[in-house]
Amino acid sequence: MALYTIGIDFGSLSGRAVLVDVSNGAVKASASCDYPNGILEEKLLCGTVLPPDYALQVPEDYMHVLRETVTSVLLQGNVSPDEIIGIGVDATACSAFPVDKKWKPLCEDKRFYKEPQAYLKLWKHHGATDEARRLTEAAAKVCPELLSQFGGSISAESLYPKLWEVHERAPELYEATYEYVEAADWIVYRLTGEKTRNSCAAGYKAYYDPEKGYPDEKLFREAGFCPDGSVADKLPSPVIPVGQRAGTLSKNAANLLGLKPGIAVAAGLVDAHVCVPAAGVTEEGHVLMIIGTSACIMMLGRDRTEVPGICGSVTDGILPGFEGYEAGQSSVGDLYGWFVDHMVPADVHDEARARGMNVHLLLSSLAEKKQPGESGLLALDWLNGNRSILCNYELSGLILGLTPKTKSEDVYRALAESTAFGCRVILENFASHGLPVKKFTVSGGISRKNPFIMQLYADILGMNVEVIETQVGPALGSAIFAAAAAGRKAGGYPSVQRAAQAMKSPVLTVCEPVPEHVAAYNELYREYRTLYAYFGEGENNVMERLHRFMKE
Amino acid sequence: MALYTIGIDFGSLSGRAVLVDVSNGAVKASASCDYPNGILEEKLLCGTVLPPDYALQVPEDYMHVLRETVTSVLLQGNVSPDEIIGIGVDATACSAFPVDKKWKPLCEDKRFYKEPQAYLKLWKHHGATDEARRLTEAAAKVCPELLSQFGGSISAESLYPKLWEVHERAPELYEATYEYVEAADWIVYRLTGEKTRNSCAAGYKAYYDPEKGYPDEKLFREAGFCPDGSVADKLPSPVIPVGQRAGTLSKNAANLLGLKPGIAVAAGLVDAHVCVPAAGVTEEGHVLMIIGTSACIMMLGRDRTEVPGICGSVTDGILPGFEGYEAGQSSVGDLYGWFVDHMVPADVHDEARARGMNVHLLLSSLAEKKQPGESGLLALDWLNGNRSILCNYELSGLILGLTPKTKSEDVYRALAESTAFGCRVILENFASHGLPVKKFTVSGGISRKNPFIMQLYADILGMNVEVIETQVGPALGSAIFAAAAAGRKAGGYPSVQRAAQAMKSPVLTVCEPVPEHVAAYNELYREYRTLYAYFGEGENNVMERLHRFMKE
């Protein structure tokens, strides 16, 4: 009898379930479903108008997606409930909302259904930028070590600004809040009846440390976030390491989904980090980059080391037993997309249409004909600022070396090179802090669609770039965690690492560096690094001054 | 009886004559005519194939244009030959060719009509870049003061490389050459029978100094240009200051053109410099900028002062009695044009078409709605290198401050600002060497067509920008020189200055600086200046390294 696990990935607009063969990771069935109410950005369902920068969701939508997608993969897969040994769930984070003592969403409470603060705040909800700024300023005073562990600022996308916004704008709701839960943990609760918080979301988004717990209350007091009791009172449930079993499937949930009660349910997971085992990344020094509009760069280490300028380092944050390091680049696909939308002339678009090609691929095929350095261009990839390792969102993009012969494919190539140079800075930063990069794996849309850009990364990083085949990385990752949560006795695996070894995605391709290109790019990288230091490390703060000037 | 002069301007592709009222400068008639053989770039008329970078012309074509245009303005103007008191002639320079003792072009000699070296080499003939390089290297050794007076290098477009090329490639022709003449001087000879060389072309293109004569022969020997006799042997005719009378119209020429013999013919002139009096620029500290694909910036001074980084300073070079300073920017209209051709998306072109607007003007009208600094962009205008004051053609363009919100009109504005910043550097360089700029006048296509850009110049320079109305600046300038050559007794003027005061072009508009814009641009200029120093003055030679890398 074949055995399966189910992985469910809750994205921003839709969720996806996959039914995965535990023996080899083959995806037997896959189904996705949009959230019925999507993202609420202008008003609530009852008509309450929302301020700008709001991005809310309805928690029950997640249950709808859960039912639809699980039912669908069971139908498609034509497997018996007996063959399914575990479930794993990941979601975006911090995507959180207030619940009562029974973990019932307070937006379903009559008292609060007109209150925006009662709804799920999606990761990209930016209603609490002011709270984030105040928390960052306070942290700089009372716990600078926290800031340096988490990329120099407390993001408006993290948990405390979102929670503080509840306290400021809806104090009665705050009072009524038993817990402020992450979406993935809430789904796990709905599946098991167990109230847990996963170490990944708790670590990266609420700065939880297995030894020290949540940040000291003096941070919140210094910032002016002073509820009755402590802030951590709103996060009472235990934090459990990812990879652990959160509980077993309850009868109710089993009935709802057509599954067998008692099977393992893994601790909640976060959509980016859960890709790590799906990509076969289970060892110290192995890096996974997910390349999309931005890039998320994750690395496993055995011990905690202070690495300046990264987004965060969390014990058990990615895989149990490892320190999980996360860094990022704010503009990758975004940078290429901006260029194609705003700076590419009509004849290139016309040619792409005539050849039935995507403009990105046309520019790539034209750029590919040239040699490294042939265009004389060099760019800085800071269109949206620099997330790692400068942690500075007032930086901006730069293109240098323009001549009358500069064509759009030259600039496109220079921009792609700049993102690879930016990635190299991050990897070298890991290495120079005791975390040498031994292997580099890539996932995400661009990696599968654009071999030219992946070859640039290989040539610029000077190492093999392994591109992963799966298009459902997060859901596959959740299924891997589910197999570990099920354990060996149930037919799963004794650890996430072992599960990943068996179930990881196949490799689509490996780009190998071309020695002459590596040599040329080593020279160009030196130039990039000099400009990086000049504009990014304080020699000339012109970008920040222009940024402020722009806003005046 | 009204009195008139005729000014004739020989451009690259065509010539133009104007019939101008001496009392007020009104253009009574204007006619232009293309050179019948245009520019010979691929082969001679006899079929001789030309090397790349050649740009030759047939001297007799200039006579054809002279006859056609002068006859035409006389017909149109319906004036009697008695009413015409003088003629002035300008041409591009160095545009020169070899002649025999009777100043007959040697390309008309049977022995040489198949020899490319015997033809008129247009200013932009680039067949002698190697000779130019060798002369520059030699000058750096034996007469560095010459290099510093003329912008740091001996251009392939100047006289000696062109003449040396004759010696190298056609020694018999060199032997047969009595003189190597500039086109304008040759036309003056054809009108008067007087063999003269004008101080403007002789100064800027052959480094003639009224006190020292032509450069010392050691320069040529050091470079390896070692003819029998001296190089200056091929430039035997006297140099006369512009503004002087070269002679009077001969009977032959008068018959040919339908004019009265004996009227004054001014010394030959150069097309850019001759615009100075046409624009009413006749005083110390008054600058004329001619803004087209590149910009030529001319200034009058009373005494010779060493100003580093300019293209040249020549006594009597622009107006008699003045030191004529010339500086330049390699990319102005070229920079805007490159952007419009290569970096502007289809929707902007579509909108321009729909509104029946030129793309430059559409981008200008969109850019005009923003405030200085609002886009957060800053650019360096070095697409073709930097002519003044860095004299470095390995520099390249830069755009800084790119964000996801950057649109094409923002970049267009930043590029236009960068050319104005570049102009400000040149003006401040004059001022810091004892030549303060008292007034700033602009001529050339962009100045009449694009008021937005002219306003940017006013705001960035912090001074009034006076835009000249005439579209025939060089020909009008020649007519002004003709009125001075005619002299007071004949109904003209005692000096070029007096002629210019009466006959200069009307002012089309004066752009006045807006104080708030000036303040903002002073801040942005400081940033520009910092980048200028960093990339242009040796702090980081990345542009030069990339330029060389590109060529490897």
Side-chain angles (χ1 to χ4, degrees), chain A residues 334 338-347 349 372-378 382-384 395-408 411 415 519-521 523-524 527 530-531 534-535 539-543 545-547 549-552, chain B residues 334 338-347 349 372-378 382-384 395-408 411 415 519-521 523-524 527 530-531 534-535 539-543 545-547 549-552:
Chain A
D334 252 10
W338 163 80
F339 182 71
V340 165
D341 289 348
H342 294 290
M343 297 284 144
V344 170
D347 55 347
H349 285 278
E374 188 180 332
S375 72
L377 294 174
L378 192 63
W382 302 341
L383 198 77
N384 290 309
L395 297 176
S396 52
L398 173 147
I399 304 169
L400 176 154
L402 300 165
T403 78
K405 292 184 178 167
T406 303
K407 292 193 174 157
S408 45
V411 179
L415 296 178
Y521 278 130
E523 280 194 52
L524 292 173
E527 303 292 356
T530 304
L531 293 180
Y534 181 71
F535 289 110
E539 282 183 72
N540 183 353
N541 294 328
V542 56
M543 289 174 177
R545 287 191 298 272
L546 289 174
H547 185 87
F549 202 89
M550 183 169 66
K551 292 193 157 178
E552 273 167 14
Chain B
D334 251 11
W338 164 79
F339 182 70
V340 165
D341 289 346
H342 294 291
M343 297 284 143
V344 170
D347 56 348
H349 285 278
E374 189 180 333
S375 72
L377 294 174
L378 192 62
W382 303 342
L383 198 76
N384 290 310
L395 298 175
S396 53
L398 174 147
I399 304 169
L400 176 153
L402 301 165
T403 78
K405 292 183 178 167
T406 303
K407 292 192 175 158
S408 44
V411 179
L415 296 178
Y521 278 129
E523 281 194 51
L524 292 174
E527 303 292 358
T530 304
L531 294 181
Y534 181 70
F535 288 109
E539 283 183 70
N540 182 353
N541 293 329
V542 56
M543 290 174 177
R545 286 191 297 272
L546 290 174
H547 185 87
F549 203 89
M550 183 169 66
K551 293 194 155 180
E552 275 167 13

Side-chain angles (χ1 to χ4, degrees), chain B residues 449-527:
Chain B
K449 290 179 206 156
N450 200 320
F452 163 68
I453 289 180
M454 289 302 100
Q455 183 61 44
L456 281 186
Y457 271 77
D459 291 339
I460 285 172
L461 300 178
M463 65 193 297
N464 283 2
V465 170
E466 185 183 79
V467 178
I468 289 308
E469 189 179 286
T470 184
Q471 300 190 29
V472 292
L476 175 60
S478 283
I480 289 172
F481 276 97
R488 194 149 35 177
K489 282 189 190 162
Y493 295 95
S495 68
V496 181
Q497 285 88 319
R498 294 287 295 277
Q501 279 156 28
M503 297 171 71
K504 68 186 177 192
S505 163
V507 171
L508 178 69
T509 180
V510 178
C511 299
E512 293 175 12
V514 177
E516 309 87 75
H517 294 180
V518 172
Y521 278 129
N522 281 339
E523 281 194 51
L524 292 174
Y525 178 67
R526 266 201 299 278
E527 303 292 358

Side-chain angles (χ1 to χ4, degrees), chain A residues 10-325:
Chain A
F10 292 93
S12 297
L13 292 166
S14 65
R16 173 178 298 279
V18 291
L19 180 68
V20 178
D21 188 321
V22 170
S23 70
N24 60 12
V27 175
K28 192 170 170 74
S30 172
S32 79
C33 174
D34 288 346
Y35 301 121
N37 296 297
I39 302 174
L40 307 175
E41 291 177 311
E42 292 174 2
K43 54 187 181 179
L44 296 181
L45 303 176
C46 61
T48 302
V49 173
L50 300 176
D53 299 329
Y54 267 45
L56 305 180
Q57 291 189 316
V58 178
E60 197 54 33
D61 281 2
Y62 282 60
M63 287 304 293
H64 172 85
V65 165
L66 176 72
R67 272 192 313 275
E68 292 293 316
T69 57
V70 171
T71 312
S72 175
V73 294
L74 290 175
L75 264 171
Q76 282 178 57
N78 192 26
V79 299
S80 136
D82 289 339
E83 294 173 273
I84 296 171
I85 61 168
I87 300 180
V89 174
D90 70 86
T92 61
C94 164
S95 291
F97 52 96
V99 294
D100 68 13
K101 197 161 185 180
K102 293 183 172 171
W103 275 36
K104 186 179 166 192
L106 284 167
C107 62
E108 294 173 13
D109 186 311
K110 275 181 200 162
R111 289 178 295 166
F112 302 117
Y113 81 99
K114 290 185 179 172
E115 172 51 59
Q117 298 301 325
Y119 286 77
L120 187 159
K121 290 181 182 163
L122 192 61
W123 62 276
K124 67 174 183 176
H125 171 89
H126 283 172
T129 49
D130 195 50
E131 288 82 353
R133 186 186 50 74
R134 283 186 274 164
L135 282 165
T136 301
E137 286 166 8
K141 282 189 197 159
V142 303
C143 49
E145 70 289 356
L146 183 88
L147 279 193
S148 67
Q149 189 183 346
F150 289 98
S153 73
I154 292 179
S155 163
E157 294 179 2
S158 66
L159 186 135
Y160 300 113
K162 284 170 171 154
L163 178 57
W164 188 3
E165 199 193 3
V166 176
H167 184 258
E168 291 213 312
R169 304 217 177 193
E172 285 179 26
L173 171 65
Y174 190 87
E175 183 67 29
T177 298
Y178 170 77
E179 183 145 15
Y180 202 64
V181 299
E182 287 277 1
D185 295 327
W186 182 70
I187 294 287
V188 166
Y189 167 77
R190 293 294 296 263
L191 292 171
T192 61
E194 301 290 339
K195 295 171 183 163
T196 62
R197 307 186 72 92
N198 73 79
S199 61
C200 182
Y204 288 104
K205 305 301 174 182
Y207 316 131
Y208 176 83
D209 181 290
E211 286 174 16
K212 299 179 198 158
Y214 292 110
D216 196 289
E217 285 291 321
K218 68 186 176 190
L219 164 64
F220 306 114
R221 284 196 300 272
E222 173 72 27
F225 179 15
C226 308
D228 293 340
S230 75
V231 171
D233 286 351
K234 300 298 181 188
L235 313 169
S237 296
V239 176
I240 59 172
V242 294
Q244 203 164 304
R245 174 192 298 210
T248 56
L249 192 68
S250 69
K251 279 188 191 163
N252 276 351
N255 283 340
L256 183 78
L257 301 175
L259 293 171
K260 209 171 77 173
I263 63 172
V265 176
L269 299 154
V270 177
D271 61 346
H273 307 76
V274 75
C275 292
V276 168
V281 174
T282 55
E283 283 175 23
E284 198 181 352
H286 190 165
V287 162
L288 174 65
M289 173 172 77
I290 303 178
I291 182 169
T293 55
S294 59
C296 178
I297 295 172
M298 289 165 288
M299 184 177 192
L300 300 175
R302 272 293 164 200
D303 307 303
R304 175 174 297 179
T305 304
E306 195 170 312
V307 185
I310 62 173
C311 308
S313 81
V314 170
T315 307
D316 300 330
I318 298 177
L319 290 188
F322 286 96
E323 187 70 16
Y325 296 94

